[in-house]
Amino acid sequence: TCAIQSGGAKCWGYNSVRQGGVGTTTDILTPTDVTGLTSGIANISTGGFHTCAVTTGGAAKCWGSNDRGQLGVGNTAVQTGIVAVSGLSSGVASISAGFQTTCAVMTSGAVKCWGANSGGMLGDGSSVLSSSTPVSVAAPGNSVQSVAVGSGYACAVGTDGALLCWGGNVGGRFGSSTQASSST
């Protein structure tokens, strides 16, 4: 679990792959400052085994598990600390970490996703298994105000209030009266 307190990131709980951001793999029993992110944090989101934050300057930073490229650093290698997401050093408005995928809303209203692409949840129309760098989501265009990433799918709310979803539509997650998945 993570939260922002006085502008800084604090995390606690299960920490087996450093998703707590404190430099160890020991579980964190009380809210603890994330190493190097004690101020200037605007948004934070925890995923399956990784965590990402947006700085007040609009940069995306992630830490924890990287087995499907969900940290966005251009590879799937183990990372031992907080890393900057490739190509997102500014212009990020908010971020959402899912199970093995992460998506960010840009200040332009565009959405970028990286990590696992099961069911097409990167939203770029590709059939690649994963992307370790951010790719542009096709469907929302440049009119998104928020995004939420689940396990195998993502949904965004447009500036016009429209709900847009992509990825796996198991059980009708999209609310679209079908169970058809969509990669865009």
Side-chain angles (χ1 to χ4, degrees):
T1 305
C2 296
I4 299 170
Q5 183 179 40
S6 301
K10 290 187 179 281
C11 294
W12 61 96
Y14 195 57
N15 191 38
S16 64
V17 290
R18 302 177 193 270
Q19 65 267 44
V22 297
T24 70
T25 56
T26 305
D27 291 346
I28 307 164
L29 303 180
T30 60
T32 304
D33 288 335
V34 173
T35 305
L37 299 179
T38 57
S39 65
I41 302 304
N43 178 255
I44 195 164
S45 179
T46 56
F49 291 93
H50 73 292
T51 306
C52 294
V54 178
T55 67
T56 52
K61 309 257 184 190
C62 295
W63 56 96
S65 179
N66 192 37
D67 57 327
R68 297 298 296 271
Q70 61 266 45
L71 299 185
V73 294
N75 61 54
T76 58
V78 172
Q79 305 293 314
T80 58
I82 286 93
V83 293
V85 176
S86 180
L88 299 183
S89 60
S90 65
V92 180
S94 64
I95 202 160
S96 179
F99 181 65
Q100 293 178 316
T101 306
T102 309
C103 294
V105 176
M106 307 302 294
T107 54
S108 67
V111 177
K112 296 192 179 266
C113 296
W114 58 96
N117 193 32
S118 57
M121 69 179 299
L122 290 179
D124 68 342
S126 74
S127 59
V128 297
L129 294 176
S130 63
S131 177
S132 60
T133 57
V135 297
S136 295
V137 173
N142 289 328
S143 61
V144 172
Q145 62 180 339
S146 66
V147 67
V149 181
S151 180
Y153 71 104
C155 293
V157 176
T159 54
D160 61 358
L163 178 64
L164 308 161
C165 297
W166 59 93
N169 190 16
V170 178
R173 294 173 174 157
F174 297 174
S176 61
S177 74
T178 75
Q179 291 190 44
S181 296
S182 174
S183 63
T184 58

